[in-house]
Amino acid sequence: MTDSGNAARLPAWHQVGNDIRGTVTGSVVQAGSVGQIHYHLHDYQETGASAGGAVPAQLPRSPEYFTSRERELADLSRWQTTEADQPPLIVISGQAGVGKTTLALHWLRGAREQFSDGQLYVDLGGFSAGEPVDPAEVLEWFLAALGLPSDRVPGDLAGRTALYRSVTEQRAMAVLLDNAASAAQVRPLLPAGRDCVVAVTSRWRLTGLAVDGARFVDVDPLDLPSSVDLLRRFVDHERADAEPDAVHELADLCCGLPIALSVVGARLSTRPRRTIAREVADLRSQPRRLTALSVVGEPSVATVFDLSYDSLPEAAGRLYRVAALHPGPRFGVAVLSAALDQPDEDVEEAIDLLAEAHLVAEVDEARFSFHDLVRLHARERAEQDDEPEDRDLSVRRMTEWYLDTAVSADLLVHPLRERLGPRYAGDHDQTAFTADDQALAWLDAERDNLIAAALDADWRGWDELVWQFCEALWGLFLHTRRYDGWIVLHRVGIAAAQRCADPSVEARLRAQLGFAYAKLGRFEEAVAENRTGLSLAEAAGDDRARATALSQLGRAARGSGDLETAIGYYRAARDLQDDLGVQRGVALCDRRIGEVLLSLGRPAEAVAEFRSAEAIMAALGDHTQRARSLMFLAKAHVGTGARQAAEAALRTGLDAMRQLGSSYYQAEILVEMGELAAGGDDLAAARRYLDEALSLYRTVEDPAADRVRARLDELSAL
């Protein structure tokens, strides 16, 4: 029972006067008296996150040793139990390494029994080497943790924010938003429930959150007595009592920063024969390197990092330096093995040592990352300890590993496309991926690292590698349609091809860039890229590139509404492909001609074109393009009144795309299934198909989502 004398001081969710023991499934009602009962289904329940759904427990483990912070903890506890009108929002700010996250974890874990619906945690990366984490991505993770299937999560920030608020409105939860960069990054992540508590840590004070009712805690470095107390928790009391002056001096040299005190204390605890005076002497002897955590007149935290680094075996030390040169935010064992030209098992042993020393963090079971300051330290050590040519060789190996692995994946995802990249002609690791869906999933998961590797290669002047990334990532682009990254990558790829003086490559990349522009409705830019590509192809006598440019000019003309001109371009491209004996190219042109014929109101003629395209793609074993041909064939069948044939074609195509896991192409087919159902007056089915298509389009950030949303609104009005 709750103490009634204290009830008035507690928020509503902590004034419950009865307890429930055991496992409960479904809804539970607690009441002093019951009159009439009304049940209301919330939006979030309709999405699958019912009250009996997932209960996340994401808070990391609190550090074993914690000291002081009585004032801060008292403030946090008071605000937690007196804010009844809105969810308590606490911003914990201070300099790097001062213990903000430790304080937040200690507080929230101490009160976790009050958060019956669990805890959510995310590192927002506000002070990492890369970009801060997009709140839309965080909401996707949070909604998944709360039990929502991925296909019900909207693709846009506004949709995810609204759904998140619905899901959390009736929950009692703790949410820790670690390393926030700005108030704008935090605001979409605030839950709606009055029984929730949100803690935000940041090196910035984030005063903009004051308008959201935030309370602010400024965390200062520990005073000397507290620093000594923290060190004594790491080192046994008998050992500390034997060198009291050294303990005080060591605490003073750590400048009150818990990160420094913890690293030094952990080092001493694992070396029982090392004197504390020796630790002090070593700490004083190291030069300053990192200014981010420096205190005037005192050694920096970099000194502590140096001591941890110096204690590493040679193999782990080398891995520490090489991993810091990785171009992307997260890295796995395989890419580091390539960088070092060593077996995976040797690298796994070394990286385990780094994890034990808290010099790298585990992102998941396969990947690791650096704290931003540790990475900076590791790079400094690489500059000091390794020759420039050795550093360049390590980065080159990582870049080529990403490129070669992407090529292997692309060969499964998009096996029949003619490529220009020389790496496609060589031997490939046939064990890297066992299926096309696995290959596509890897490309999507490593997208940030792949683009970072390409951009880093551009910075280093490795032009012959840069443009090949554009080729290797084409299949990923087709299935995910992440246009922004694609455009950036192709702009640098085109410049690299120009420096390589390879007009055929430049023409290909301009056609691919023009494709993206056309899909975004930027038709003038699409035409400009493809006209330049066509001129390059003609000057080089490259008929393949000519055919590609003509086909893309047809796409731009069609998008601009000039349908007869579009058919002319497509037919010219088809003739070239036929002369070259490229049957896949012929089939693609057949399909595109059929699309234009549909737009011109000539479905019977379009049926013949789509059947030709589907037959060629089936014979070639191109499942993706066969599915797309079937989709357009279904549209033509609808135009001729053959609705059953249309439905059969769509279901066959959708099954193929679901097996591959292609979000974009699934969405295309689902839209057509929705229109077919709407034409048959089955509005419920139509809305169901279009809802799923909308979610998929939003996932890949495709502008078609707006059109599907508008169509759903039309159907809802019927």
Side-chain angles (χ1 to χ4, degrees):
M1 291 293 184
T2 300
D3 183 354
S4 60
N6 294 325
R9 297 196 298 272
L10 299 177
W13 53 265
H14 201 57
Q15 296 183 30
V16 177
N18 58 316
D19 293 326
I20 294 177
R21 296 290 185 265
T23 300
V24 179
T25 300
S27 300
V28 176
V29 178
Q30 301 182 63
S33 62
V34 178
Q36 293 181 322
I37 298 178
H38 302 272
Y39 290 94
H40 301 274
L41 293 178
H42 293 276
D43 291 341
Y44 74 90
Q45 292 177 311
E46 296 173 355
T47 66
S50 65
V55 179
Q58 296 185 345
L59 288 182
R61 180 180 177 182
S62 300
E64 183 174 355
Y65 302 120
F66 183 85
T67 189
S68 189
R69 308 303 189 195
E70 289 84 6
R71 175 186 59 82
E72 294 90 342
L73 288 170
D75 287 342
L76 293 170
S77 297
R78 185 177 71 255
W79 294 333
Q80 176 189 344
T81 57
T82 58
E83 296 291 345
D85 294 332
Q86 59 187 6
L89 169 60
I90 313 297
V91 177
I92 302 173
S93 61
Q95 69 183 96
V98 79
K100 302 179 293 293
T101 302
T102 297
L103 173 62
L105 287 172
H106 186 82
W107 167 50
L108 292 176
R109 281 197 164 275
R112 62 184 178 273
E113 71 277 2
Q114 298 171 8
F115 308 122
S116 58
D117 294 310
Q119 320 106 35
L120 296 172
Y121 170 85
V122 65
D123 184 345
L124 293 172
F127 309 97
S128 63
E131 292 296 317
V133 180
D134 190 324
E137 290 188 69
V138 178
L139 288 171
E140 182 179 13
W141 305 333
F142 279 3
L143 290 168
L146 292 169
L148 273 79
S150 59
D151 60 356
R152 302 306 301 273
V153 176
D156 63 305
L157 177 60
R160 290 179 181 180
T161 302
L163 182 56
Y164 174 67
R165 289 170 181 164
S166 295
V167 170
T168 58
E169 202 271 338
Q170 297 296 325
R171 298 195 182 215
M173 302 186 66
V175 181
L176 176 51
L177 308 176
D178 207 8
N179 293 318
S182 66
Q185 187 188 28
V186 167
R187 201 163 281 120
L189 308 179
L190 301 179
R194 293 173 59 186
D195 297 335
C196 295
V197 172
V198 183
V200 182
T201 72
S202 179
R203 295 181 198 173
W204 299 98
R205 199 159 188 266
L206 304 184
T207 53
L209 290 176
V211 300
D212 299 278
R215 301 282 191 151
F216 296 89
V217 176
D218 293 327
V219 183
D220 298 320
L222 296 172
D223 59 21
L224 187 58
S226 297
S227 297
V228 169
D229 182 63
L230 184 55
L231 277 176
R232 290 176 64 88
R233 291 172 184 263
F234 281 92
V235 182
D236 66 84
H237 290 285
E238 182 178 348
R239 186 179 177 191
D241 290 340
E243 298 182 81
D245 292 341
V247 171
H248 279 76
E249 188 172 2
L250 185 59
D252 189 49
L253 288 171
C254 288
C255 309
L257 294 178
I259 186 174
L261 293 160
S262 297
V263 172
V264 170
R267 177 178 171 82
L268 285 169
S269 68
T270 58
R271 301 184 66 179
R273 293 181 178 83
R274 182 179 178 86
T275 65
I276 300 174
R278 172 66 183 277
E279 192 75 21
V280 170
D282 284 352
L283 188 59
R284 281 180 165 175
S285 67
Q286 298 292 333
R288 297 166 64 88
R289 289 182 179 87
L290 296 175
T291 59
L293 285 179
S294 65
V295 178
V296 176
E298 301 291 351
S300 71
V301 172
T303 302
V304 179
F305 293 159
D306 282 337
L307 291 171
S308 295
Y309 166 77
D310 290 339
S311 69
L312 295 173
E314 181 179 352
R318 186 182 179 205
L319 180 65
Y320 178 69
R321 302 191 304 272
V322 167
L325 305 175
H326 183 268
R330 293 169 289 277
F331 47 84
V333 168
V335 68
L336 297 180
S337 297
L340 293 167
D341 193 23
Q342 291 181 355
D344 285 358
E345 53 267 26
D346 292 348
V347 173
E348 287 174 354
E349 182 178 349
I351 205 164
D352 284 344
L353 286 174
L354 296 183
E356 287 294 321
H358 304 289
L359 292 173
V360 297
E362 292 179 278
V363 177
D364 52 41
E365 64 179 2
R367 292 185 296 176
F368 301 84
S369 67
F370 279 111
H371 180 279
D372 52 343
L373 293 169
V374 177
R375 179 171 181 154
L376 179 58
H377 173 264
R379 284 188 170 180
E380 283 190 358
R381 293 308 304 239
E383 291 173 1
Q384 296 170 32
D385 300 348
D386 298 324
E387 296 297 327
E389 55 269 23
D390 292 333
R391 298 198 300 270
D392 286 345
L393 178 59
S394 295
V395 177
R396 178 87 182 198
R397 286 171 172 168
M398 286 190 278
T399 304
E400 292 186 346
W401 180 86
Y402 275 118
L403 179 57
D404 288 336
T405 310
V407 165
S408 296
D410 188 51
L411 284 168
L412 280 173
V413 172
H414 208 3
L416 299 175
R417 183 176 188 253
E418 180 266 334
R419 276 90 167 185
L420 299 179
R423 277 176 156 73
Y424 284 94
D427 295 330
H428 300 281
D429 183 2
Q430 300 300 314
T431 64
F433 307 103
T434 58
D436 50 5
D437 58 340
Q438 183 190 35
L440 180 59
W442 181 87
L443 287 168
D444 198 26
E446 295 289 343
R447 181 179 66 249
D448 291 345
N449 281 335
L450 289 162
I451 293 177
L455 296 179
D456 185 65
D458 178 62
W459 178 78
R460 295 173 183 276
W462 297 337
D463 293 328
E464 76 284 4
L465 299 182
V466 174
W467 70 260
Q468 291 185 71
F469 273 99
C470 297
E471 284 282 84
L473 298 182
W474 175 252
L476 172 66
F477 170 69
L478 286 179
H479 287 283
T480 62
R481 306 299 172 110
R482 307 279 185 173
Y483 293 105
D484 290 346
W486 186 248
I487 289 171
V488 169
L489 181 58
H490 270 64
R491 284 174 175 164
V492 300
I494 288 168
Q498 290 173 331
R499 291 190 291 270
C500 290
D502 194 328
S504 293
V505 169
E506 184 183 350
R508 166 66 70 88
L509 299 192
R510 287 188 180 277
Q512 293 178 179
L513 179 57
F515 177 95
Y517 283 145
K519 296 298 288 185
L520 290 170
R522 296 161 62 174
F523 298 115
E524 290 185 6
E525 292 167 279
V527 169
E529 292 295 338
N530 283 296
R531 286 197 183 282
T532 301
L534 182 60
S535 297
L536 289 166
E538 289 172 343
D542 187 337
D543 285 342
R544 289 179 183 268
R546 283 179 60 206
T548 300
L550 286 167
S551 181
Q552 292 303 325
L553 283 168
R555 181 186 300 277
R558 178 186 168 200
S560 300
D562 191 352
L563 301 184
E564 293 295 345
T565 298
I567 286 182
Y569 278 129
Y570 285 141
R571 285 176 174 161
R574 181 173 63 183
D575 291 344
L576 274 175
Q577 299 282 20
D578 196 29
D579 291 342
L580 292 167
V582 182
Q583 288 303 297
R584 185 174 182 277
V586 171
L588 288 172
C589 290
D590 284 342
R591 196 201 75 212
R592 290 162 184 161
I593 291 169
E595 292 178 53
V596 179
L597 289 171
L598 276 180
S599 298
L600 289 169
R602 294 150 63 180
E605 295 174 64
V607 166
E609 300 290 346
F610 293 136
R611 281 178 171 164
S612 173
E614 189 272 333
I616 294 173
M617 292 302 185
L620 293 173
D622 191 326
H623 305 300
T624 298
Q625 293 304 327
R626 181 186 176 224
R628 298 203 77 218
S629 299
L630 285 168
M631 179 187 71
F632 287 109
L633 177 59
K635 295 177 72 171
H637 280 321
V638 171
T640 62
R643 296 181 59 82
Q644 288 186 337
E647 183 176 358
L650 289 171
R651 292 197 178 280
T652 300
L654 182 61
D655 288 344
M657 290 302 95
R658 287 202 192 283
Q659 184 175 353
L660 178 59
S662 173
S663 298
Y664 179 83
Y665 290 136
Q666 285 183 67
E668 274 196 329
I669 296 172
L670 285 164
V671 168
E672 297 308 320
M673 294 180 75
E675 294 300 340
L676 184 63
D681 293 328
D682 189 349
L683 298 184
R687 286 191 290 267
R688 186 171 65 252
Y689 291 133
L690 292 175
D691 270 331
E692 185 176 354
L694 177 62
S695 178
L696 290 167
Y697 273 136
R698 284 175 170 169
T699 297
V700 298
E701 301 174 5
D702 193 275
D706 294 336
R707 297 194 298 273
V708 176
R709 177 71 268 171
R711 180 58 172 147
L712 275 167
D713 290 342
E714 291 176 5
L715 293 178
S716 296
L718 296 178

